[in-house]
Amino acid sequence: MGRWLVLGGTRFLSHAVAAGAVACGHEVTCVARGSSGPVPDGATLVVADRDVPGSLDALRGQRFDAVVEVARSLPWVREALAVVDAAHRTFVSTVSVYADPATPGQGVDAPLLAPREDGDYGAVKVASEEAVRAAHPDALIVRAGLICGPGDLSDRFGYWPARFARGGRAVIPDAPDQPLQIVDVRDLAAWIVDAGERGLGGTFDASGPRTTLGAVLDAIAAAVGAPDLVPVPVAPAALEAAGVAPWAGPRSLPLWLPATHVGIVARDTAPAAAAGLVCRPVAETARAALAHERALGPDRPRQAGLDPAEEATLVR
Ligand SMILES: NC(=O)c1ccc[n+]([C@@H]2O[C@H](COP(=O)([O-])OP(=O)(O)OC[C@H]3O[C@@H](n4cnc5c(N)ncnc54)[C@H](OP(=O)(O)O)[C@@H]3O)[C@@H](O)[C@H]2O)c1
């Protein structure tokens, strides 16, 4: 079994990757401040604040069989490349790297944003990808789509299982044909671990098969909806007029996207599927996301969605 380094490991995707690598019998080291939570059982945490130059010095000169990096900062990426040697390197990027977020069906050869040292998330990921590829031409670049499931604190997917489980009249966007594409954090992590073991290289749009907002909401409702749930479709124009935002954030209806952005959830993910990314049914993600919601408790501040008062006003 191999020596794995996960740069991260205390939350969501990188935690799931570290847990998956431990489960496969690898010796796993994680690097984080530890403020987001513990590393998985069986992994070792090296405490480091990567905003402090030299924070990775404890690892200097070490060689790992596989390194997985999730950084959103180019200096972090450069420092890890300089400090740690690896037989296989995975960089988790994003579908936000693309210049055209509107057109469905694009693949990894589509034009990218101009790389930037700092600022825009997607542009920094482009620059980070370039740095990783320059050092490791055979690296695996995982351009993740919308990651869902247990451990997600953004509420972009979790809002819907929580809302539908509460029942009653639930406002949904009247946009059933809107393209949508998601990936369960557990499936993405399992693929990243498997790919690291196989030495898979190349660049992939990593998300599930193309589907629609209507199909996803139907699947969530069927999986976890309360018996008295009544979805109330509201036209996008009426939602906009009422100040409801798409996609994420306060006073929003998550997963709903304007036509200018549906390309980010309608990418060609067939190459990732052919390379082994297996995606579970939406119903399973919905059940796990609901369990996560319930573990967090009903009264926590939410990152996305409508609160009951806002929704009641819209229904009226
Ligand atoms: N969520 C999505 O839908 C989505 C979509 C596309 C792509 N992605 C990509 O997927 C990856 C998600 O990674 P993730 O789930 O592991 O979450 P993340 O929010 O990117 O956090 C990753 C790790 O960074 C650590 N960290 C934060 N600040 C730090 C610091 N100053 N020094 C050292 N470590 C620090 C955190 O640990 P501590 O706080 O404990 O230090 C955590 O373990 C990212 O690459 C993201 O860009 C996400």
Side-chain angles (χ1 to χ4, degrees), residues 1-10 14-31 39-46 59 62 64-68 193 197:
M1 291 295 118
R3 294 189 75 215
W4 279 57
L5 178 67
V6 178
L7 294 153
T10 55
S14 53
H15 183 277
V17 169
V22 169
C24 288
H26 301 297
E27 180 193 319
V28 179
T29 301
C30 300
V31 176
V39 297
D41 287 346
T44 303
L45 174 65
V46 172
L59 298 168
Q62 291 198 38
F64 291 86
D65 295 295
V67 171
V68 179
V193 172
E197 290 180 330

Side-chain angles (χ1 to χ4, degrees), residues 234-273:
V234 177
L239 293 172
E240 285 164 21
V244 177
W247 190 241
R251 198 175 166 77
S252 68
L253 282 181
L255 307 186
W256 168 47
L257 273 172
T260 50
H261 285 77
V262 292
I264 64 170
V265 287
R267 307 219 49 96
D268 177 10
T269 51

Side-chain angles (χ1 to χ4, degrees), residues 6-16 31-38 45-52 55-56 69-72 76 91-96 121 125 142-148 151-152 154 156 183 185 188 206 247:
V6 178
L7 294 153
T10 55
R11 55 154 297 176
F12 202 34
L13 178 64
S14 53
H15 183 277
V31 176
R33 295 163 305 178
S35 9
S36 297
L45 174 65
V46 172
V47 177
D49 181 347
R50 299 182 73 187
D51 283 329
V52 177
S55 63
L56 299 185
E69 168 75 279
V70 296
R72 301 155 193 252
W76 291 11
F91 177 63
V92 180
S93 185
T94 167
V95 291
S96 298
Y121 166 63
K125 285 285 193 182
V142 176
R143 292 180 179 155
L146 180 66
I147 308 171
C148 304
D152 181 20
S154 79
R156 287 177 295 188
V183 62
V185 63
L188 187 58
W247 190 241

Side-chain angles (χ1 to χ4, degrees), residues 265-290:
V265 287
R267 307 219 49 96
D268 177 10
T269 51
L277 174 57
V278 178
C279 292
R280 71 193 65 211
V282 173
E284 283 185 30
T285 306
R287 282 191 283 269
L290 180 61

Side-chain angles (χ1 to χ4, degrees), residues 15 136 172:
H15 183 277
H136 287 262
I172 64 169

